[in-house]
């Protein structure tokens, strides 16, 4: 196993927030490339199955509050898992599992609300929950409810977040920052007249349309959840070995989100999304993919936001229109329990 | 959805302990047979895939203490998921996912210990962990560590816990009560000179040997985890529509376990096992299956413990040698966080 920093002896909040600290923790403590648990750091796994691939992905949800403007933990869990499958090319989930961990005293009515929400989201995504497990912990041993969902699907072609090539364009399927800002505003009881809503939604039908239009021209996909677009783009740049140049003026961000983010001292690029995807697209396929994405109800605000190059590999450069600066990778501790 | 008991408004510890209350909660609140999340109550799911079956199963682990005589939460999680797959006929896992939920301040050394234990158990079972997710909750928001594992495997024939037929014999693959008693003894700092050890182990190679020997003669399988053998047998009897008659004198229970159980006021039949299986076997196949199981290091204490009939369907009757009595289904609240 890799040596860990000798001063680090305990887990901190930043290790669970999807940023750099978390990546280092996973790389240093949880991953040994020679062991049977080598791939713990990948969101999803692809297992060969005949001439197709079995895609397997897992996610635990600890969001606070459990219900937030635009969604709740149930919708978040189902959509999150459906989206992780879709990002690897499995747009028709075979099945999801649901692991519930409840605190003693949890209100049954809340459980029913969350269950109904999961049900609606499953219907929307065409993704059945096929198996479940329920555990109860004592009062004070878990805060309300933790929800794990794991999904399995089949992909004819596996799309990875490491497939970017110099020259590829980057498309985002819609506005950035909506989920995280809606949750943070709810926590701070910031009332902007209902204008802030999480974007949480299953993206598999949108991704299916994009793949149908773009085929092999779609070279990489990733959903910018924890750590936001900045974290996702850093990971894509690093894994793909390309530099990414972003056009700040092209980034779609709602005015309300921009305003609330300023009020809260946050950068929309660093904030979690739960209903958006970043697509790497060969320049020849960019137009047709953008058209297909925009034709979908969840993709109306899609935009080309950047381009990949062979320079500054592993880095993300933000072109502000006035100049260029390196976009830092968020360390993520600012936003605990955001998903 | 079915009507719930109008007096029940909050989750209690008993709802997570694997007994009757939990089954009712799941049936009443979580399951609607017409919905896309219809099958939340099954440990595992079987999804048709060509002429085979994809088996999918999930389990969350909240055990306290995290390390106990004979095992730890890491071994428990891997073995538990491998065993759930095996019970449905998938004895060669394709992959496992691992969802970690950590409390801020969790010692890194403990995480490494658990990680190593998972690794060893994965090697033992031939089951790779292919994907993972890590979340951190604040201090006091989760007690130490919660671990979800989900597994996927292929079965040529799906074995269910509902397949018992009148005349079938019941085989248990070894002694009962070891896991639960070891954990409870550790919690109560009951020192019996190291005699109490959890049986936690991956059973897939044992089950593979049994299936190879018994073929279709194995009609049902279930691992007696939460709620112990009593809960598992009740579920098998009810789902299969048979009565089960148990021979109390044939039940293998270690003397130390029997003694400790008496001291703690517990019944070994009601206590969780994590390395045992209950097999329903056609009488013609019983000898060959019993021989195959006993030839495996984890099956040396295997025994025929009962027989199925068409009488008292859904019930489990215990023949004590002096008389017969109905075995009650445990309500499970006695043993929180046992797995």
């Amino acid at each position: 196993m890799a040596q860990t920093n000798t001063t680090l002896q305990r887990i901190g909040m930043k290790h669970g927030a999807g940023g750099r600290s978390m990546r280092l923790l996973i790389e240093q403590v949880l991953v040994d490339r020679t062991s049977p648990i080598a791939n713990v750091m990948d969101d999803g796994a692809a297992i060969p199955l005949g001439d197709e691939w079995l895609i397997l992905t897992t996610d635990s949800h600890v969001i606070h509050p459990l219900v937030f403007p635009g969604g709740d933990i149930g919708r978040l869990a189902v959509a999150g898992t459906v989206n992780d499958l879709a990002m690897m090319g499995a747009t028709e989930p075979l099945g999801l599992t649901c692991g519930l961990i409840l605190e003693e005293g949890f209100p049954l009515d809340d459980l029913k609300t969350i269950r109904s929400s999961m049900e609606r989201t499953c219907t929307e995504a065409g993704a059945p929950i096929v198996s479940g497990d329920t555990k109860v912990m004592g009062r004070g041993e878990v805060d309300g409810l933790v929800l794990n969902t794991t999904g399995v699907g089949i992909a004819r072609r596996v799309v990875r977040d490491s497939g970017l090539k110099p020259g590829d364009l980057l498309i985002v399927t819609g506005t950035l920052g909506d989920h995280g800002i809606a949750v943070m505003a709810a926590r701070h009881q910031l009332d902007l007249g209902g204008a802030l809503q999480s974007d949480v939604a299953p993206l598999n039908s949108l991704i299916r349309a994009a793949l149908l239009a773009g085929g092999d021209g779609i070279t990489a996909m990733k959903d910018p959840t924890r750590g936001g677009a900045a974290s996702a783009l850093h990971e894509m740049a690093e894994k793909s070995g390309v530099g990414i140049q972003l056009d700040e003026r092209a980034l779609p961000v709602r005015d309300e989100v921009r305003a609330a983010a300023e009020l809260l001292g946050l950068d929309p690029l660093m904030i979690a999304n739960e209903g958006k995807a970043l697509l790497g697209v060969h320049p020849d396929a960019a137009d047709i993919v953008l058209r297909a994405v925009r034709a979908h109800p969840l993709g109306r605000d899609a935009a080309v936001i950047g381009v990949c190059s062979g320079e500054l590999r592993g880095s993300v450069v933000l072109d502000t229109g006035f100049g260029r600066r390196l976009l830092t990778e968020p360390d993520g501790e600012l936003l605990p329990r955001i998903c």
Side-chain angles (χ1 to χ4, degrees), chain A:
Chain A
M1 197 180 337
Q3 279 296 307
T4 55
N5 184 329
T6 49
T7 60
L8 176 63
Q9 298 188 331
R10 291 184 178 274
I11 294 293
M13 289 304 293
K14 64 181 179 180
H15 292 118
R20 190 170 166 276
S21 297
M22 180 171 169
R23 200 158 49 74
L24 292 179
L25 167 77
I26 292 174
E27 281 172 11
Q28 294 178 347
V29 179
L30 298 176
V31 176
D32 173 351
R33 294 252 161 238
T34 64
S35 93
I37 62 175
N39 298 308
V40 177
M41 70 174 305
D42 287 317
D43 268 6
I47 301 168
L49 198 74
D51 56 353
E52 299 184 310
W53 298 85
L54 191 71
I55 309 294
L56 190 58
T57 152
T58 192
D59 213 345
S60 304
H61 302 273
V62 297
I63 192 164
H64 175 81
L66 294 175
V67 178
F68 47 84
D72 59 78
I73 192 171
R75 181 167 176 82
L76 187 71
V78 172
T81 293
V82 166
N83 293 350
D84 282 345
L85 290 176
M87 291 307 123
M88 295 186 74
T91 56
E92 286 168 50
L94 285 175
L96 268 53
T97 65
C98 167
L100 271 176
I101 297 143
L102 293 160
E103 184 178 18
E104 184 188 11
F106 190 82
L108 217 60
D109 280 346
D110 291 1
L111 187 58
K112 288 183 200 168
T113 302
I114 291 163
R115 179 204 176 284
S116 300
S117 172
M118 293 185 82
E119 189 170 46
R120 280 192 303 275
T121 314
C122 281
T123 302
E124 198 176 327
I129 292 181
V130 296
S131 166
D133 174 70
T134 305
K135 292 286 188 323
V136 179
M137 290 174 84
R139 272 172 214 270
E141 292 179 342
V142 66
D143 185 22
L145 168 69
V146 172
L147 183 49
N148 174 284
T149 40
T150 299
V152 62
I154 303 277
R156 250 158 281 152
R157 175 173 78 96
V158 180
V159 184
R160 299 195 184 268
D161 53 7
S162 58
L164 294 176
K165 298 269 174 286
D168 284 354
L169 298 176
L170 283 159
I171 291 175
V172 67
T173 60
T175 54
L176 290 170
D178 300 73
H179 172 74
I181 284 292
V183 173
M184 291 306 283
R187 271 193 219 161
H188 289 84
Q189 297 174 302
L190 197 70
D191 186 4
L192 295 181
L196 300 175
Q197 296 273 320
S198 167
D199 59 347
V200 56
L203 293 174
N204 55 324
S205 64
L206 171 69
I207 298 301
R208 200 183 306 142
L211 287 171
L212 207 63
D216 291 348
I218 295 182
T219 57
M221 299 198 285
K222 194 170 186 70
D223 52 344
T225 56
R226 283 187 289 178
S231 183
L233 289 166
H234 267 100
E235 205 171 326
M236 293 177 89
E238 197 163 300
K239 287 187 181 174
S240 305
V242 300
I244 291 176
Q245 182 164 333
L246 283 187
D247 179 359
E248 190 172 42
R249 293 157 305 178
L251 296 171
V253 180
R254 279 184 217 288
D255 290 342
E256 308 89 299
V257 168
R258 203 181 293 278
E262 252 172 52
L263 219 59
L264 294 164
L266 299 169
D267 179 347
L269 271 178
M270 311 269 182
I271 295 171
N273 309 275
E274 292 291 344
K276 299 294 151 49
L278 293 162
L279 311 180
V281 187
H282 189 276
D284 293 346
D287 276 350
I288 191 171
V289 170
L290 189 63
R291 253 201 319 274
V293 171
R294 282 187 176 159
H296 190 282
L298 294 173
R300 279 193 291 254
D301 298 319
V304 174
I305 59 168
V307 62
C308 303
S309 77
E311 289 163 37
L312 288 170
R313 291 172 190 266
S315 298
V316 183
V317 172
L318 193 68
D319 184 338
T320 63
F322 304 103
R324 296 170 60 180
R325 64 172 173 89
L326 275 176
L327 187 68
T328 53
E329 185 180 0
D331 206 14
E333 57 206 321
L334 285 172
L335 298 174
R337 299 188 63 185
I338 203 76
C339 57

PDB file of all heavy atoms in Angstrom, chain A residues 44 53 72 115 119 147 149 161 179 186 220 227-228 253 267 277 294 323:
ATOM      1  N   GLY A  44     -17.782   3.599 -10.861  1.00  0.00           N
ATOM      2  CA  GLY A  44     -18.458   2.464 -11.455  1.00  0.00           C
ATOM      3  C   GLY A  44     -17.449   1.486 -12.005  1.00  0.00           C
ATOM      4  O   GLY A  44     -16.305   1.838 -12.278  1.00  0.00           O
ATOM      5  N   TRP A  53     -20.810  -5.426 -21.598  1.00  0.00           N
ATOM      6  CA  TRP A  53     -20.225  -5.109 -20.297  1.00  0.00           C
ATOM      7  C   TRP A  53     -21.312  -4.971 -19.256  1.00  0.00           C
ATOM      8  O   TRP A  53     -22.333  -4.345 -19.506  1.00  0.00           O
ATOM      9  CB  TRP A  53     -19.436  -3.786 -20.387  1.00  0.00           C
ATOM     10  CG  TRP A  53     -18.290  -3.836 -21.326  1.00  0.00           C
ATOM     11  CD1 TRP A  53     -18.334  -3.616 -22.672  1.00  0.00           C
ATOM     12  CD2 TRP A  53     -16.933  -4.150 -21.007  1.00  0.00           C
ATOM     13  NE1 TRP A  53     -17.079  -3.773 -23.208  1.00  0.00           N
ATOM     14  CE2 TRP A  53     -16.188  -4.094 -22.210  1.00  0.00           C
ATOM     15  CE3 TRP A  53     -16.255  -4.465 -19.817  1.00  0.00           C
ATOM     16  CZ2 TRP A  53     -14.821  -4.341 -22.256  1.00  0.00           C
ATOM     17  CZ3 TRP A  53     -14.891  -4.708 -19.870  1.00  0.00           C
ATOM     18  CH2 TRP A  53     -14.197  -4.655 -21.076  1.00  0.00           C
ATOM     19  N   ASP A  72     -35.530  15.190  -2.732  1.00  0.00           N
ATOM     20  CA  ASP A  72     -35.350  14.593  -1.411  1.00  0.00           C
ATOM     21  C   ASP A  72     -34.349  13.455  -1.571  1.00  0.00           C
ATOM     22  O   ASP A  72     -33.962  13.097  -2.689  1.00  0.00           O
ATOM     23  CB  ASP A  72     -36.683  14.065  -0.876  1.00  0.00           C
ATOM     24  CG  ASP A  72     -37.278  13.036  -1.801  1.00  0.00           C
ATOM     25  OD1 ASP A  72     -36.826  11.878  -1.778  1.00  0.00           O
ATOM     26  OD2 ASP A  72     -38.157  13.403  -2.612  1.00  0.00           O
ATOM     27  N   ARG A 115     -40.140   6.895   0.270  1.00  0.00           N
ATOM     28  CA  ARG A 115     -40.435   5.714  -0.532  1.00  0.00           C
ATOM     29  C   ARG A 115     -41.206   6.096  -1.802  1.00  0.00           C
ATOM     30  O   ARG A 115     -40.888   5.630  -2.894  1.00  0.00           O
ATOM     31  CB  ARG A 115     -41.265   4.750   0.309  1.00  0.00           C
ATOM     32  CG  ARG A 115     -41.654   3.499  -0.430  1.00  0.00           C
ATOM     33  CD  ARG A 115     -42.901   2.861   0.143  1.00  0.00           C
ATOM     34  NE  ARG A 115     -43.284   1.718  -0.654  1.00  0.00           N
ATOM     35  CZ  ARG A 115     -43.885   1.805  -1.832  1.00  0.00           C
ATOM     36  NH1 ARG A 115     -44.162   2.974  -2.353  1.00  0.00           N
ATOM     37  NH2 ARG A 115     -44.200   0.715  -2.503  1.00  0.00           N
ATOM     38  N   GLU A 119     -40.123   5.722  -5.729  1.00  0.00           N
ATOM     39  CA  GLU A 119     -40.989   5.030  -6.658  1.00  0.00           C
ATOM     40  C   GLU A 119     -41.207   5.857  -7.933  1.00  0.00           C
ATOM     41  O   GLU A 119     -41.068   5.364  -9.051  1.00  0.00           O
ATOM     42  CB  GLU A 119     -42.312   4.762  -5.943  1.00  0.00           C
ATOM     43  CG  GLU A 119     -43.265   3.885  -6.666  1.00  0.00           C
ATOM     44  CD  GLU A 119     -44.417   3.513  -5.741  1.00  0.00           C
ATOM     45  OE1 GLU A 119     -44.951   4.427  -5.067  1.00  0.00           O
ATOM     46  OE2 GLU A 119     -44.784   2.349  -5.692  1.00  0.00           O
ATOM     47  N   LEU A 147     -28.956   6.268   3.037  1.00  0.00           N
ATOM     48  CA  LEU A 147     -29.548   5.473   1.967  1.00  0.00           C
ATOM     49  C   LEU A 147     -28.465   5.106   0.960  1.00  0.00           C
ATOM     50  O   LEU A 147     -27.834   5.975   0.379  1.00  0.00           O
ATOM     51  CB  LEU A 147     -30.641   6.330   1.299  1.00  0.00           C
ATOM     52  CG  LEU A 147     -31.493   5.755   0.193  1.00  0.00           C
ATOM     53  CD1 LEU A 147     -32.059   4.393   0.570  1.00  0.00           C
ATOM     54  CD2 LEU A 147     -32.652   6.697  -0.099  1.00  0.00           C
ATOM     55  N   THR A 149     -27.709   3.179  -2.588  1.00  0.00           N
ATOM     56  CA  THR A 149     -28.271   2.525  -3.766  1.00  0.00           C
ATOM     57  C   THR A 149     -27.125   2.043  -4.644  1.00  0.00           C
ATOM     58  O   THR A 149     -26.099   2.713  -4.790  1.00  0.00           O
ATOM     59  CB  THR A 149     -29.171   3.470  -4.598  1.00  0.00           C
ATOM     60  OG1 THR A 149     -28.570   4.762  -4.631  1.00  0.00           O
ATOM     61  CG2 THR A 149     -30.560   3.573  -4.024  1.00  0.00           C
ATOM     62  N   ASP A 161     -14.562   8.283 -17.989  1.00  0.00           N
ATOM     63  CA  ASP A 161     -14.239   9.700 -17.798  1.00  0.00           C
ATOM     64  C   ASP A 161     -12.791   9.985 -18.219  1.00  0.00           C
ATOM     65  O   ASP A 161     -12.324  11.111 -18.116  1.00  0.00           O
ATOM     66  CB  ASP A 161     -14.501  10.149 -16.351  1.00  0.00           C
ATOM     67  CG  ASP A 161     -13.809   9.275 -15.324  1.00  0.00           C
ATOM     68  OD1 ASP A 161     -13.016   8.400 -15.716  1.00  0.00           O
ATOM     69  OD2 ASP A 161     -14.054   9.482 -14.126  1.00  0.00           O
ATOM     70  N   HIS A 179     -28.155  22.169  -7.702  1.00  0.00           N
ATOM     71  CA  HIS A 179     -28.420  21.278  -6.571  1.00  0.00           C
ATOM     72  C   HIS A 179     -27.782  21.807  -5.282  1.00  0.00           C
ATOM     73  O   HIS A 179     -28.455  21.997  -4.273  1.00  0.00           O
ATOM     74  CB  HIS A 179     -27.922  19.857  -6.850  1.00  0.00           C
ATOM     75  CG  HIS A 179     -28.016  18.969  -5.649  1.00  0.00           C
ATOM     76  ND1 HIS A 179     -29.205  18.479  -5.188  1.00  0.00           N
ATOM     77  CD2 HIS A 179     -27.065  18.516  -4.787  1.00  0.00           C
ATOM     78  CE1 HIS A 179     -28.986  17.752  -4.089  1.00  0.00           C
ATOM     79  NE2 HIS A 179     -27.696  17.758  -3.823  1.00  0.00           N
ATOM     80  N   ALA A 186     -31.424  26.057   1.595  1.00  0.00           N
ATOM     81  CA  ALA A 186     -32.390  25.465   2.534  1.00  0.00           C
ATOM     82  C   ALA A 186     -31.776  25.378   3.925  1.00  0.00           C
ATOM     83  O   ALA A 186     -32.430  25.687   4.926  1.00  0.00           O
ATOM     84  CB  ALA A 186     -32.813  24.081   2.049  1.00  0.00           C
ATOM     85  N   ALA A 220     -16.032  10.712 -23.736  1.00  0.00           N
ATOM     86  CA  ALA A 220     -15.958  10.653 -22.281  1.00  0.00           C
ATOM     87  C   ALA A 220     -17.224  11.244 -21.691  1.00  0.00           C
ATOM     88  O   ALA A 220     -17.847  12.124 -22.290  1.00  0.00           O
ATOM     89  CB  ALA A 220     -14.747  11.430 -21.772  1.00  0.00           C
ATOM     90  N   GLY A 227     -18.156  18.203  -5.409  1.00  0.00           N
ATOM     91  CA  GLY A 227     -16.992  18.940  -5.907  1.00  0.00           C
ATOM     92  C   GLY A 227     -17.308  19.736  -7.165  1.00  0.00           C
ATOM     93  O   GLY A 227     -16.475  20.499  -7.640  1.00  0.00           O
ATOM     94  N   GLY A 228     -18.507  19.524  -7.720  1.00  0.00           N
ATOM     95  CA  GLY A 228     -18.961  20.316  -8.854  1.00  0.00           C
ATOM     96  C   GLY A 228     -18.208  20.056 -10.150  1.00  0.00           C
ATOM     97  O   GLY A 228     -17.438  19.098 -10.274  1.00  0.00           O
ATOM     98  N   VAL A 253     -25.121  29.297 -16.022  1.00  0.00           N
ATOM     99  CA  VAL A 253     -25.442  29.388 -14.583  1.00  0.00           C
ATOM    100  C   VAL A 253     -26.655  30.301 -14.452  1.00  0.00           C
ATOM    101  O   VAL A 253     -26.675  31.399 -15.020  1.00  0.00           O
ATOM    102  CB  VAL A 253     -24.258  29.981 -13.774  1.00  0.00           C
ATOM    103  CG1 VAL A 253     -24.623  30.074 -12.288  1.00  0.00           C
ATOM    104  CG2 VAL A 253     -22.986  29.155 -13.959  1.00  0.00           C
ATOM    105  N   ASP A 267     -18.562  29.181  -5.209  1.00  0.00           N
ATOM    106  CA  ASP A 267     -18.357  29.267  -6.655  1.00  0.00           C
ATOM    107  C   ASP A 267     -19.212  28.191  -7.326  1.00  0.00           C
ATOM    108  O   ASP A 267     -19.054  27.005  -7.025  1.00  0.00           O
ATOM    109  CB  ASP A 267     -16.864  29.024  -6.939  1.00  0.00           C
ATOM    110  CG  ASP A 267     -16.552  29.060  -8.428  1.00  0.00           C
ATOM    111  OD1 ASP A 267     -17.497  29.017  -9.256  1.00  0.00           O
ATOM    112  OD2 ASP A 267     -15.357  29.114  -8.761  1.00  0.00           O
ATOM    113  N   ALA A 277     -24.669  16.429 -16.932  1.00  0.00           N
ATOM    114  CA  ALA A 277     -23.548  15.605 -17.368  1.00  0.00           C
ATOM    115  C   ALA A 277     -22.570  16.452 -18.159  1.00  0.00           C
ATOM    116  O   ALA A 277     -22.957  17.428 -18.814  1.00  0.00           O
ATOM    117  CB  ALA A 277     -24.053  14.452 -18.235  1.00  0.00           C
ATOM    118  N   ARG A 294     -30.136  19.178 -26.586  1.00  0.00           N
ATOM    119  CA  ARG A 294     -31.048  20.326 -26.418  1.00  0.00           C
ATOM    120  C   ARG A 294     -32.497  19.965 -26.723  1.00  0.00           C
ATOM    121  O   ARG A 294     -33.420  20.624 -26.248  1.00  0.00           O
ATOM    122  CB  ARG A 294     -30.608  21.486 -27.313  1.00  0.00           C
ATOM    123  CG  ARG A 294     -29.427  22.249 -26.729  1.00  0.00           C
ATOM    124  CD  ARG A 294     -29.129  23.484 -27.547  1.00  0.00           C
ATOM    125  NE  ARG A 294     -28.065  24.281 -26.947  1.00  0.00           N
ATOM    126  CZ  ARG A 294     -27.325  25.163 -27.606  1.00  0.00           C
ATOM    127  NH1 ARG A 294     -27.539  25.363 -28.916  1.00  0.00           N
ATOM    128  NH2 ARG A 294     -26.390  25.858 -26.995  1.00  0.00           N
ATOM    129  N   GLY A 323      -8.627  37.216 -19.441  1.00  0.00           N
ATOM    130  CA  GLY A 323      -7.346  36.547 -19.269  1.00  0.00           C
ATOM    131  C   GLY A 323      -7.591  35.097 -18.919  1.00  0.00           C
ATOM    132  O   GLY A 323      -8.740  34.635 -18.927  1.00  0.00           O
TER     133      GLY A 323
END
